[in-house]
């Protein structure tokens, strides 16, 4: 474990050295990028501006929640609405790596435009060690290209500044607590958002289904944790599968999609264990999902696979 005060002091010093003028910060409302934004704010004051992108792939209520978090943390920030751009970038794409590349590219183009507007070429990102390790850094195989390591195209004017590059998730969380941000206790949410929780084509309709299913899993797991029926998981979410199977709706037969529920415990996301969620909690998730997405989702599965061999997210 790192010493927080020393780390923050050192990060602020390096940010000042690497950013002579102004900088924008890619801020998703997650722990990593919020810590990066807070460090930038500490180091640069009004020379830093956090940019929160609503790519249309966010969880239910996320834009309002992130606004509140950032206001509470006294961050200078702007919200950019860009759902159309991301949906057209993802049109017809089913390959997981291609999805990540397209999302990464859409983010970079958007940040280039924002940087120009803010008169800078510096982009501060909350990349942490597992992101680049799993993206094939340090002579390893690529497990998956984390969107924020998708790479800056050779013709880009942007220079990356990554103050958390050497930290693991549990260390970033500890720094977040040290900095006193309410974001510290949020579960991780991937930058590419619900796109990696919608297996197969990413359409507004399928993202809506994934959004409803994710909200149900979050509510029911949080209720179970509050009631002492389950320890606090590292991450808990739903994945929409493109599998069609038969269901019953009233007196009729319907063909609907399936949802897989994932609840894992972990220390640093490099390994994870599928948790033993009480049967009654799973039953309630299944009942609500098939009712609130009636006819659209007819089957709910529970993913019992650890990492490794699986990863936490499905894509
Ligand atoms: P995996 O699925 O690789 O995920 O076991 C490990 C942790 O990283 C999160 N994750 C991401 N976070 N950008 C992010 O900011 C990404 O592209 C990304 N992909 C996965 C995942 O939710 C888990 O906590």
């Amino acid at each position: 474990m790192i010493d927080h005060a020393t780390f923050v002091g050192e990060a602020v010093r390096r940010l000042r050295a690497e950013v002579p003028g102004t900088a924008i910060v890619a801020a998703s409302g997650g722990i990593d990028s919020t810590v990066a934004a807070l460090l930038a704010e500490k180091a640069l004051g009004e020379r830093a501006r956090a940019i929160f992108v609503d790519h249309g792939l966010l969880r239910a209520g996320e834009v309002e929640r992130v606004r509140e978090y950032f206001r509470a943390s006294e961050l200078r920030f702007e919200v950019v609405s860009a759902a159309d751009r991301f949906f057209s970038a993802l049109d017809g794409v089913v390959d997981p790596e291609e999805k990540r590349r397209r999302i990464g590219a859409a983010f970079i183009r958007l940040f280039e435009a924002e940087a120009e507007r803010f008169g800078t070429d510096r982009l501060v990102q909350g990349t942490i060690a597992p992101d680049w390790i799993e993206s094939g850094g340090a002579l390893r195989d690529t497990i998956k290209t984390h969107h924020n390591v998708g790479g800056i195209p050779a013709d880009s004017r942007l220079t990356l500044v990554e103050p958390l590059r050497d930290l693991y998730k549990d260390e970033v969380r500890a720094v977040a607590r040290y900095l006193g941000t309410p974001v510290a206790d949020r579960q991780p949410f991937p930058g590419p958002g619900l796109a990696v929780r919608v297996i197969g084509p990413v359409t507004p309709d399928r993202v809506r289904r994934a959004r409803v299913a994710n909200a149900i899993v979050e509510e029911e797991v949080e209720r179970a944790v509050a009631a002492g029926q389950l320890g606090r998981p590292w991450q808990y979410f739903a994945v929409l599968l493109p599998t069609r199977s038969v269901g019953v709706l009233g007196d009729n037969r319907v063909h609907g999609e399936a949802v897989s529920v994932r609840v894992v415990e972990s220390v640093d996301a490099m390994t994870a264990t599928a948790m033993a969620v009480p049967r009654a909690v799973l039953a309630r998730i299944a009942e609500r999902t098939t009712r609130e997405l009636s006819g659209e989702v007819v089957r709910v599965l529970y993913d019992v696979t650890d990492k490794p061999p699986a990863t936490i997210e499905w894509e």
Side-chain angles (χ1 to χ4, degrees):
M1 261 303 177
I2 51 166
D3 176 72
H4 308 132
T6 310
F7 171 78
V8 169
E10 182 62 18
V12 163
R13 196 188 56 72
R14 265 195 278 154
L15 273 159
R16 286 188 184 136
E18 286 181 49
V19 182
T22 55
I24 56 168
V25 187
S28 70
I31 303 169
D32 309 342
S33 62
T34 304
V35 169
L38 288 170
L39 292 173
E41 176 86 26
K42 245 183 202 316
L44 310 169
E46 61 183 25
R47 283 157 50 209
R49 180 67 43 88
I51 308 287
F52 172 68
V53 180
D54 176 2
H55 50 18
L57 305 163
L58 297 169
R59 285 174 293 183
E62 185 69 358
V63 178
E64 295 70 32
R65 240 182 342 256
V66 170
R67 275 184 198 276
E68 279 166 31
Y69 285 133
F70 285 178
R71 280 203 197 106
S73 304
E74 296 183 7
L75 266 183
R76 275 166 261 250
F77 70 96
E78 281 176 35
V79 179
V80 177
S81 301
D84 290 351
R85 226 178 302 175
F86 280 82
F87 276 113
S88 43
L90 289 167
D91 191 26
V93 181
V94 294
D95 177 73
E97 274 296 292
E98 184 61 20
K99 272 185 198 172
R100 285 172 171 274
R101 273 193 294 274
R102 300 266 186 122
I103 291 169
F107 265 120
I108 290 294
R109 294 301 169 211
L110 190 147
F111 285 128
E112 279 174 339
E114 291 302 309
E116 191 158 322
R117 202 161 61 81
F118 200 55
T120 183
D121 61 354
R122 300 300 146 111
L123 173 65
V124 180
Q125 267 198 165
T127 318
I128 63 172
D131 298 350
W132 58 265
I133 292 171
E134 295 194 336
S135 298
L139 307 175
R140 285 163 213 252
D141 236 24
T142 298
I143 294 172
K144 65 182 66 163
T145 308
H146 283 248
H147 79 287
N148 38 7
V149 196
I152 291 216
D155 63 347
S156 177
R157 285 180 43 249
L158 291 177
T159 302
L160 279 187
V161 180
E162 299 176 314
L164 309 178
R165 228 187 127 71
D166 298 326
L167 265 51
Y168 283 81
K169 198 85 180 189
D170 50 331
E171 296 172 323
V172 182
R173 205 186 281 279
V175 173
R177 290 207 184 100
Y178 172 77
L179 292 172
T181 166
V183 169
D185 294 314
R186 304 195 81 191
Q187 62 161 327
F189 182 67
L194 296 175
V196 296
R197 295 182 181 172
V198 169
I199 314 305
V202 182
T203 61
D205 224 25
R206 299 194 72 226
V207 169
R208 172 185 53 78
R209 278 174 220 153
R211 185 175 287 125
V212 170
N214 268 271
I216 293 170
V217 171
E218 289 192 11
E219 283 167 27
E220 294 305 327
V221 166
E222 280 158 21
R223 197 201 304 265
V225 170
Q229 298 167 327
L230 183 69
R232 177 160 288 284
W234 170 269
Q235 241 172 323
Y236 40 107
F237 56 88
V239 179
L240 183 72
L241 308 180
T243 311
R244 294 239 157 218
S245 66
V246 180
V248 190
L249 189 61
D251 290 336
N252 296 320
R253 170 193 161 96
V254 284
H255 276 106
E257 290 184 310
V259 153
S260 177
V261 176
R262 189 117 170 95
V263 182
V264 298
E265 54 189 353
S266 176
V267 174
D268 57 9
M270 296 296 281
T271 61
T273 311
M275 288 178 84
V277 178
R279 182 71 185 82
V281 177
L282 292 174
R284 190 158 162 76
I285 290 173
E287 186 276 317
R288 279 190 63 191
T289 306
T290 49
R291 180 163 44 82
E292 293 175 35
L293 292 167
S294 176
E296 299 181 280
V297 170
V298 295
R299 218 166 278 268
V300 177
L301 316 168
Y302 186 67
D303 183 351
V304 294
T305 332
D306 295 339
K307 173 183 181 176
T311 53
I312 295 176
E313 305 286 348
W314 274 49
E315 288 197 330

